[in-house]
Every structure is written in structure tokens, then in C-alpha cells.
Amino acid sequence: MPEVLAYACDDATTQFHRTTVRLREPGPKEVYLEVRYAGICHSDIHKARGEWGPAKYPLTPGHEIVGVVTKVGAEVTRHKVGDKVGVGCMVGSCGQCEYCQADQEQFCTGTPGGLQRTLWTYGDDAEGNPTAGGYAQGFTVPEHFACRVPDEIPFEAAAPLLCAGITTYSPLKRFGAGPGRKVAVVGMGGLGHMAVQIGAAMGAEVSVISHGRSKEADALRFGAKSFHATSEPGTLEALRGTFDVILCTVGADDLDYAGLLNTLRPFGCFVDVGLPEAPTTLHLATLVQGSKSLAGSQIGGIAETQEMLEFCAAHGIAPQVEIISGEQITQAYDRVVGSQVRYRYVIDTSTF
């Protein structure tokens, strides 16, 4: 079993330190990759700080992973040694339930006598044993859950696509972002800056709704046609009845959901991927008036994730990243929470 360098935290204060983790050798249908880069997602922070329930420590997070395959199992057919691959939010499912058969492994319901749920990238394995994520120099994964990273995507910027990319691509595709459609992206962070690029590449007219104007120039550079600051009085009122789709990437508990819903056209849809921590109260008349929809979206299946990577490669789309070392992870967590990153931290594992 290989032992590799990694970074872990020992409690919810998330003070990361250098350590080692022991990984399994690849089984017959698994591949082992040398991790080159790992993105820092805000959900890593929620998990590591116990904000989504108790975490098992020491914890090595990371579900935005890219690396190079160095070992393959005897029955592997999808990848070969030397391939550039990426691993996202999940690393296992039963493969047989209706959702797995429909390429929606993120909703796996399991099968009797088999894997009973979607297996997420780090935290626990199928037996409840602690597992390490991508803040490590190696990773073992079933071949099905490793996606090919096209050469056209800069390797150092590819990791966030495995979460931020698919989290925004999937709902934009599902709810019809395209020519003749007006899409508003709420928030211009790690998710939002990907949504702007992807929505514009799909042919939609994209606008950004943000609290202030500090990121306006970036939004226009990424493909937005307009920018609206809610800190300016009357902004949402002036946008009433404008958009076909709103993709909300913000998790703020004080968001004006009713005001945002009023900016939808009749039959428009508000889609949330921002996961606010507190329950949200909404008068349902806001939806009834205009026959509007309120929806959520959770990543995408493996086939759609590969489709997203090919789409980004074809359209020259990549996250804007800041490359950091392992020693900078602790500080990076605080800066992400403080919205001080533009727009995704990526850990260079060669610094371990």
C-alpha cells in the first residue's frame, strides 16, 4: 500500500499540517493517480469545520482533483498510464439502480447486498472507515469515476472544474441557458465566475447580480453583458420581469429571495446551488404570480461531468485560479470565507 505526503487538520479550527496517508493499491477496475493539483472548495471548509455535521479527524479534504495515472488495474479499459484525469465529488455508486443506469450516480439509491449509497470522495468509505481526499500526492479511484482532462484545459486550472464547473454547467444546461435566453448569475465567486463563462458560451445573455461593483470588470471579461449591484437602491425593482433563469451561487442567509424572484419573467426559474445555512422563508405567491419555478441542483453525473470538460475545452473556458503551497492552506480557508480569493485556490501538491 503506497504512503504519500498529504495535508490534514485535526479539529474544526482547520489548522493544516503536513502528514502522510496510506492508500490502497488499485484493484482490478481501479486506477492510481499522482495528484498534481487540488482545488479548495467552500464545501471542504464547511466539512472540515464541522458546519455540516461532525467530521472525523484527522481529515484530509479535497474533491477537486487532477493528476496523472501511474498505475492501472488488470481490467481497466478507460484509462492508461500517463493519462491526465480528474476526480470530483464522488468515487463510487452501486452502478445498478435507476439513477446509476441513467448516469446520475450522485443520486444512487443502492442495491440489496451491494453499495447502498453514493460514495463521496473523502470522509468515509462504504464501511464507514475514514478516507482521505485530494490534499495528498496520490489517490486511488474506480476507473469509472476518473474523467479525462482534455489537453486544451490548462492542467493547473483544471481541478475546480470537477466541482465548480459541473455544479454550474448542469443546471444551466438543464434549465435551458442558450440563444435568446436571459440568465442572471447571483454572486461572482468560485461558482459564479464559472457560471458566467459557461452561460455565455452556451449562447445566453448573461448578467451578474452582486452586492457591490468590485468584480464588475471581471464579470464583463468573463462574458457577462451587464452587472447589477444590489447595494444600490432600486436595483432589483428595475430588473423586474427581466430574466428567464436565475442561477444563485450565494449561500448568504440574508439574500432577498422575493426580490430576486420578481426579476424573473413569467415561467422563469430560480435555481439555487448556494446552500444557505439557515432555513429560508418565502411567500408562495411570489411563485404563483408568473407561474415561476424554484429549483435546486446538485453537481451532475460522471457522463455529464466529462461532457462539461469537453465543452470547456472546446470553448476555452477555465477557472481563474491562485496557486498555493500546502503551507498556505490554513490561511486560504480564512480568505475563502472572507471572499478574498479570485476566484479559486488550487494547491500545488509538488510543494508537499
Side-chain angles (χ1 to χ4, degrees):
M1 297 176 67
E3 190 173 82
V4 300
L5 294 173
Y7 270 78
C9 60
D10 295 328
D11 54 42
T13 65
T14 58
Q15 303 298 304
F16 280 86
H17 59 86
R18 193 167 180 256
T19 186
T20 59
V21 294
R22 192 170 294 278
L23 307 174
R24 68 182 183 276
E25 291 287 348
K29 295 184 178 181
E30 293 184 318
V31 300
Y32 174 82
L33 58 138
E34 290 183 354
V35 176
R36 300 292 175 83
Y37 300 98
I40 294 179
C41 177
H42 206 137
S43 59
D44 289 340
I45 301 173
H46 287 306
K47 176 74 172 177
R49 293 185 171 176
E51 295 167 352
W52 286 350
K56 293 182 179 180
Y57 303 103
L59 180 68
T60 295
H63 61 255
E64 296 179 343
I65 308 166
V66 293
V68 176
V69 175
T70 58
K71 297 180 185 178
V72 298
E75 299 175 22
V76 168
T77 58
R78 294 167 65 100
H79 306 292
K80 65 183 184 302
V81 171
D83 283 356
K84 293 192 291 187
V85 298
V87 179
C89 301
M90 53 186 169
V91 293
S93 70
C94 77
Q96 301 175 38
C97 72
E98 61 176 307
Y99 297 106
C100 288
Q101 290 294 303
D103 293 324
Q104 299 290 341
E105 299 92 342
Q106 71 273 30
F107 304 127
C108 174
T109 57
T111 52
L115 189 63
Q116 296 299 307
R117 59 179 174 86
T118 305
L119 189 61
W120 305 112
T121 302
Y122 65 89
D124 297 303
D125 64 15
E127 286 74 44
N129 301 310
T131 57
Y135 299 6
Q137 289 186 332
F139 198 80
T140 302
V141 64
E143 63 168 335
H144 176 73
F145 289 89
C147 294
R148 187 184 71 84
V149 177
D151 290 334
E152 294 84 352
I153 299 172
F155 207 31
E156 69 277 8
L161 293 175
L162 277 300
C163 178
I166 187 59
T167 296
T168 51
Y169 178 88
S170 184
L172 287 170
K173 177 187 174 186
R174 176 183 169 197
F175 292 100
R181 302 273 281 176
K182 293 186 176 181
V183 173
V185 175
V186 181
M188 257 287 290
L191 292 175
H193 92 292
M194 289 307 310
V196 172
Q197 294 181 76
I198 291 170
M202 288 179 171
E205 180 181 315
V206 179
S207 299
V208 169
I209 299 176
S210 185
H211 177 72
R213 291 192 174 274
S214 65
K215 299 177 180 177
E216 181 173 9
D218 285 348
L220 299 178
R221 175 167 57 87
F222 289 135
K225 296 299 183 183
S226 60
F227 191 98
H228 310 279
T230 57
S231 58
E232 300 170 2
T235 293
L236 294 183
E237 290 81 1
L239 292 171
R240 190 180 184 94
T242 298
F243 303 111
D244 299 292
V245 178
I246 297 173
L247 182 62
C248 181
T249 69
V250 174
D253 295 328
D254 59 351
L255 208 61
D256 184 0
Y257 289 98
L260 288 166
L261 281 162
N262 284 333
T263 69
L264 286 171
R265 300 176 64 194
F267 305 106
C269 185
F270 180 101
V271 191
D272 183 72
V273 296
L275 289 175
E277 292 185 33
T280 300
T281 300
L282 182 69
H283 200 301
L284 291 182
T286 311
L287 298 176
V288 173
Q289 295 165 2
S291 298
K292 301 167 185 175
S293 301
L294 178 64
S297 184
Q298 178 188 353
I299 57 171
I302 295 300
E304 189 174 43
T305 302
Q306 186 65 60
E307 175 184 298
M308 175 274 304
L309 289 168
E310 302 295 342
F311 179 89
C312 289
H315 290 86
I317 295 172
Q320 180 174 312
V321 303
E322 293 185 37
I323 305 297
I324 63 172
S325 68
E327 287 297 315
Q328 294 174 286
I329 297 173
T330 298
Q331 180 188 25
Y333 267 38
D334 292 332
R335 291 180 63 83
V336 170
V337 172
S339 299
Q340 296 174 304
V341 56
R342 293 193 179 181
Y343 284 90
R344 206 65 155 188
Y345 282 122
V346 170
I347 306 161
D348 179 351
T349 63
S350 71
T351 64
F352 293 5

